[in-house]
Amino acid sequence: MKQFLHEKDCPIRDVISKLGDKWSLLALTSLEANGTLRFSELQKSIGDVSQRMLTVTLRSLEADGFVRRTIYPEVPPRVEYCLTGLGHDLMPHINSLINWALDNMQAIMDSRKSNKRR
C-alpha cells in the first residue's frame, strides 16, 4: 500500500494544495490556450473570478514558477502573464485531467442525479 507523508514537505500534498483550486487550473489552461495575456484579458477569459481572487492566484502561480509576470514601464503600466517552461511542462497533465473530465462528465452527472434521489 502506498503511503503519503504526513509532513509539510510531502510533495503530493504541496502540489495538489497549490493547484487544487479551480482558479489555478483555469488560469493555467487559459494561458496555455491564449498565450500571453494582460490581467483584464485573463480575467475575461475565465469569466467569474474576482479581481482579488485572480490576483492571489496569479501571485501563487508566479511564486511556484508556473507563470511569469512582466511589467512594462509605460503609463499606465502594462502587466502581462504567460506560462513558464515549468508551466508548459505541467499542462499535459492538466490536459489529461480535463480530457478525463470531459469523457466522464455524463457518467458523473448521472451518478449525482441517482444519489440525490436516495
Side-chain angles (χ1 to χ4, degrees), residues 61-62 64-69 82-89:
L61 292 171
E62 182 184 13
D64 287 345
F66 297 117
V67 170
R68 179 178 304 111
R69 178 178 185 246
C82 65
L83 292 179
T84 62
L86 187 61
H88 282 289
D89 288 348

Side-chain angles (χ1 to χ4, degrees), residues 5-102:
L5 301 174
H6 298 282
E7 303 158 6
K8 66 177 182 167
D9 295 332
C10 175
I12 295 169
R13 291 175 193 263
D14 184 57
V15 171
I16 295 300
S17 72
K18 293 286 185 143
L19 298 175
D21 68 276
K22 66 181 177 178
W23 304 123
S24 292
L25 292 179
L26 292 173
L28 291 168
T29 302
S30 182
L31 288 170
E32 182 198 31
N34 298 301
T36 300
L37 293 173
R38 295 178 76 162
F39 184 91
S40 60
E41 295 170 328
L42 184 55
Q43 188 176 21
K44 285 177 189 173
S45 75
I46 294 172
D48 54 347
V49 64
S50 70
Q51 182 174 344
R52 170 85 176 116
M53 196 69 242
L54 184 55
T55 298
V56 169
T57 299
L58 289 170
R59 284 182 183 158
S60 176
L61 292 171
E62 182 184 13
D64 287 345
F66 297 117
V67 170
R68 179 178 304 111
R69 178 178 185 246
T70 305
I71 303 169
Y72 295 92
E74 302 170 352
V75 177
R78 179 170 47 113
V79 180
E80 294 182 339
Y81 297 88
C82 65
L83 292 179
T84 62
L86 187 61
H88 282 289
D89 288 348
L90 176 62
M91 290 314 299
H93 306 285
I94 291 175
N95 288 329
S96 292
L97 178 60
I98 291 168
N99 291 331
W100 179 89
L102 291 171

